[in-house]
Amino acid sequence: MNETYKITGAEAILLSLIEENTNTIFGYPGGAIMPIYDKLFDKYDKLKHILVRHEQGAAHAAQAYAQVTGKPGVCFATSGPGATNLITGITNAHLDSIPVIFITAQVASPLLGTDTFQETDMISLSIPVTKWNYQVTNAGEITDAMALAFFYSTSGRPGPVLIDITRDAQNELTEFNYKKIRATRSYNPKPKFKSDDIKTALQLIFQAKQPLFLAGHGILLANATRQLDSFINKTKIPVAVTLLGKSAVSEDNPNYVGMLGMHGNYAPNVLTNQADLLIAAGMRFDDRVTGDLSRYAKNARIIHIDIDKSELNKNIKADVAIHADIKEFLEEITPLVNYKTDEKWREKFDKLYSVEKDRVINKECFSENGKIRSGEVVNLLSVKTSGEAIIVTDVGQNQMMGARYYQYKNPNSFITSGGLGTMGFGLPAATGAQVGRPDKTVILFTGDGGFQMTVQELGTIFQYNLPVKIIILNNNYLGMVRQWQQLFNNKRYAETNMPTPDFPLLAKAYGIEGNLVKKREELNIALNKMLHHRGPYLLEIKIEKEANVYPMIYPGKAVDEIVLEP
């Protein structure tokens, strides 16, 4: 836009969003942000606003929207408690590297530092959990601040940014001439890797007898799933994913061998310590993946590729640490690699998978004895939806079951809270995912505990008639905490038993259809009814109260000490 004209700072915020091709905002109005909302009233033809029921819900919804659309999420909140209510969601987006633009209102600039009504120093509060933040105190700063926010949030390793704008800056007049930012000094978001890195990596791959590719969330963030497919299909190197790397590889791919980590699959965890080469891409060797660091991958040479230099050699010392965009790295190395993995190595994964299938998966998904189990619910829905739905989870046992037993086919189809592990993430995230992808079936797996933390977002689903399918796996416990209490605290279930309300009746109070399943013979029909219902639907399923998630790497143990049962 080359034409220059004067508008209020509030309108400049909205026009800046339009210039950045934003069409959806999640937020909640209040006194200090009222000028922006007043101008938003005139922009409903170009900017859709989703009114959440709590600012934390806006943050989680904006994050999920970003993940399923590939566009940065945008979130509005007023000053004081409105802004502070975002902090959990900002932190969640920060730890999971999701681009979200948070715009908070602030008291008028003459009142800054006076402890006036609803004043909070959001710049200081958000510094540790944002990629960049800035306080706007005059309207002339708005367009540059907005352009920088989008650039920083989406470039390099993505992440949340925050602009805090005073009320007087929202009302001031300013010239509007928006210019997108492509580069800034002293910030190189796309490092160029050295040609020697490619040569060394090729040598290590050629020498390997038992290689394993570890695919992290960075594959999805870099939009590199097609490049990863090309590499592993050419080399036949087995590929395992982290929790947030789920859906980076279609689980139909014959080279896919499962999920890493504390509740991941048996084969990739055990064989990590037999591999002679690990190729780690877009992952940070989190403690949930490595177990005891002193006994992790001692037989392996390690190639680690990450766009964030600070992740290289942070937890695990790499033989080749490559600071690069993983998409560009794979595009460069794949045509040059001349290697195929020995079938005997892959057979080891198949044999260990058979062990896990017999001792864990069949019992979890296909048993006809006892109460309904979470795994069989997830597995049934995977079959019924052909792995094509977007799955959102809360945190806890429902999260691990959703990751383990749904067969993901499409990129960015598994949405969960990884680094922070935020209970209450699921319902608002499912809302954001459905807004972002109205063409897809969005299914939420949540527990009775996490669901109640943000239950008010049923109001958002009702208001916009979002056809989210909500499954509450109800064991009347804080399930994962109870599992740890059982294993490590002699079944001393301190404050984890949780009586719950009539969830379908609660849903009906919001105008949402609901049902309760207690018996296995009711399950199939109930799931079909839910999936074929045209609008939102809540299905509460009573599951076995003291079922645990296995396999499991106990705290302090090595990855190859993963256990299949108590």
Side-chain angles (χ1 to χ4, degrees):
M1 182 177 290
N2 296 318
E3 182 184 358
T4 299
Y5 55 97
K6 284 198 171 183
I7 56 175
T8 66
E11 192 170 2
I13 286 278
L14 301 178
L15 290 181
S16 297
L17 292 175
I18 293 168
E19 288 290 318
E20 292 286 355
N21 300 314
T22 297
N23 56 25
T24 303
I25 301 160
F26 299 87
Y28 202 94
I33 203 170
M34 200 177 296
I36 292 177
Y37 272 87
D38 183 65
K39 292 298 181 182
L40 179 64
F41 193 79
D42 300 325
K43 302 293 181 186
Y44 282 156
D45 58 329
K46 294 183 178 178
L47 291 169
K48 177 172 63 177
H49 182 274
I50 303 298
L51 177 64
V52 297
R53 297 308 187 260
H54 190 282
E55 291 86 356
Q56 181 182 345
H60 294 327
Q63 171 176 335
Y65 175 91
Q67 289 180 263
V68 301
T69 64
K71 297 168 59 176
V74 177
C75 187
F76 284 177
T78 196
S79 64
T84 60
N85 282 344
L86 293 176
I87 287 293
T88 296
I90 296 172
T91 307
N92 201 91
H94 172 66
L95 287 176
D96 289 350
S97 303
I98 307 300
V100 183
I101 315 296
F102 291 94
I103 297 172
T104 55
Q106 187 53 270
V107 300
S109 52
L111 296 175
L112 290 172
T114 67
D115 295 331
T116 192
F117 178 66
Q118 291 194 333
E119 180 194 3
T120 305
D121 183 358
M122 280 303 294
I123 298 301
S124 297
L125 277 176
S126 63
I127 281 174
V129 292
T130 52
K131 191 174 176 184
W132 178 81
N133 65 14
Y134 188 76
Q135 186 173 73
V136 171
T137 56
N138 70 77
E141 301 175 300
I142 287 173
T143 55
D144 285 347
M146 290 292 290
L148 280 169
F150 274 89
F151 175 65
Y152 287 135
S153 182
T154 58
S155 59
R157 180 178 184 171
V161 299
L162 181 140
I163 296 176
D164 193 49
I165 177 170
T166 61
R167 182 170 175 129
D168 51 321
Q170 296 172 52
N171 287 319
E172 286 175 359
L173 291 177
T174 183
E175 291 185 347
F176 185 80
N177 183 16
Y178 195 82
K179 295 178 182 177
K180 293 183 182 182
I181 291 176
R182 308 294 185 190
T184 59
R185 293 178 61 185
S186 304
Y187 172 56
N188 180 21
K190 227 174 194 187
K192 185 64 182 172
F193 51 87
K194 304 168 187 174
S195 58
D196 285 349
D197 290 337
I198 292 284
K199 291 178 184 177
T200 308
L202 286 169
Q203 288 173 353
L204 291 183
I205 293 169
F206 182 74
Q207 293 166 5
K209 303 294 184 188
Q210 299 188 150
L212 178 60
F213 197 108
L214 313 182
H217 193 201
I219 296 289
L220 292 162
L221 295 173
N223 193 25
T225 55
R226 183 173 57 82
Q227 287 75 13
L228 176 58
D229 275 347
S230 296
F231 180 82
I232 61 174
N233 290 340
K234 184 176 182 180
T235 62
K236 309 300 181 188
I237 293 176
V239 58
V241 298
T242 64
L243 177 67
L244 288 180
K246 271 277 173 177
S247 80
V249 182
S250 171
E251 299 190 20
D252 287 343
N253 190 306
N255 302 297
Y256 176 76
V257 294
M259 185 174 74
L260 300 159
M262 179 173 282
H263 293 293
N265 292 106
Y266 190 52
N269 278 300
V270 168
L271 295 177
T272 291
N273 277 6
Q274 294 183 31
D276 59 7
L277 176 68
L278 296 183
I279 305 171
M283 53 89 73
R284 57 194 174 91
F285 290 108
D286 175 78
D287 64 293
R288 285 295 202 263
V289 165
T290 63
D292 181 4
L293 277 171
S294 68
R295 292 182 286 164
Y296 180 77
K298 288 304 177 182
N299 297 318
R301 309 290 293 275
I302 294 174
I303 301 169
H304 189 185
I305 311 106
D306 205 288
I307 200 165
D308 185 350
K309 194 173 184 178
S310 70
E311 294 295 352
L312 300 172
N313 297 315
K314 183 177 79 174
N315 296 327
I316 294 291
K317 174 74 172 150
D319 295 272
V320 186
I322 302 174
H323 185 207
D325 181 301
I326 185 60
K327 184 175 183 178
E328 293 181 353
F329 175 82
L330 288 170
E331 287 175 342
E332 185 81 15
I333 198 171
T334 300
L336 301 174
V337 68
N338 184 19
Y339 175 87
K340 276 198 178 172
T341 308
D342 191 326
E343 278 293 322
K344 291 180 180 177
W345 172 234
R346 175 52 199 261
E347 287 170 5
K348 290 187 177 183
F349 289 90
D350 294 338
K351 287 177 181 177
L352 290 180
Y353 174 75
S354 295
V355 173
E356 181 182 354
K357 191 170 190 301
D358 181 56
R359 293 173 61 185
V360 179
I361 297 171
N362 288 342
K363 293 177 182 178
E364 181 66 37
C365 296
F366 306 112
S367 175
E368 297 181 358
N369 301 318
K371 298 283 187 179
I372 300 170
R373 296 178 71 93
S374 298
E376 67 179 295
V377 177
V378 177
N379 179 70
L380 261 174
L381 278 167
S382 183
V383 173
K384 290 178 183 295
T385 58
S386 302
E388 296 285 347
I390 291 175
I391 301 300
V392 183
T393 79
D394 209 271
V395 168
Q397 290 181 321
N398 64 87
Q399 178 186 38
M400 294 299 106
M401 293 300 186
R404 284 182 53 82
Y405 295 117
Y406 196 88
Q407 302 299 304
Y408 297 90
K409 289 186 179 177
N410 302 314
N412 297 306
S413 58
F414 176 65
I415 309 299
T416 196
S417 171
L420 195 60
T422 305
M423 287 183 69
F425 173 82
L427 187 60
T431 301
Q434 190 72 81
V435 170
R437 291 298 304 271
D439 58 314
K440 298 290 284 188
T441 298
V442 174
I443 299 172
L444 168 65
F445 293 115
T446 183
D448 46 297
F451 180 75
Q452 292 183 83
M453 287 190 170
T454 50
V455 65
Q456 68 275 0
E457 297 309 324
L458 287 176
T460 308
I461 290 172
F462 162 71
Q463 179 175 347
Y464 298 98
N465 194 31
L466 300 171
V468 177
K469 311 308 179 192
I470 303 162
I471 294 182
I472 301 175
L473 299 166
N474 188 355
N475 56 12
N476 292 110
Y477 273 116
L478 298 178
M480 190 61 86
V481 183
R482 184 214 53 77
Q483 177 169 335
W484 280 55
Q485 289 174 330
Q486 176 184 334
L487 295 174
F488 309 119
N489 292 81
N490 298 316
K491 295 188 177 182
R492 292 161 60 87
Y493 296 153
E495 300 302 324
T496 47
N497 186 282
M498 181 177 283
T500 54
D502 183 332
F503 287 118
L505 186 61
L506 180 62
K508 286 176 183 176
Y510 282 96
I512 296 171
E513 286 295 313
N515 195 10
L516 171 65
V517 171
K518 293 182 178 181
K519 298 177 181 179
R520 181 171 281 108
E521 53 267 29
E522 303 168 340
L523 182 60
N524 191 58
I525 293 173
L527 291 177
N528 286 338
K529 183 178 178 181
M530 178 194 75
L531 289 172
H532 289 102
H533 185 76
R534 293 179 69 92
Y537 198 95
L538 183 148
L539 183 62
E540 178 186 359
I541 302 174
K542 293 286 189 179
I543 59 170
E544 186 173 329
K545 285 180 66 68
E546 295 189 52
N548 291 333
V549 184
Y550 281 96
M552 183 175 181
I553 302 169
Y554 290 165
K557 298 296 184 180
V559 289
D560 56 359
E561 293 178 311
I562 186 170
V563 297
L564 293 168
E565 51 203 359

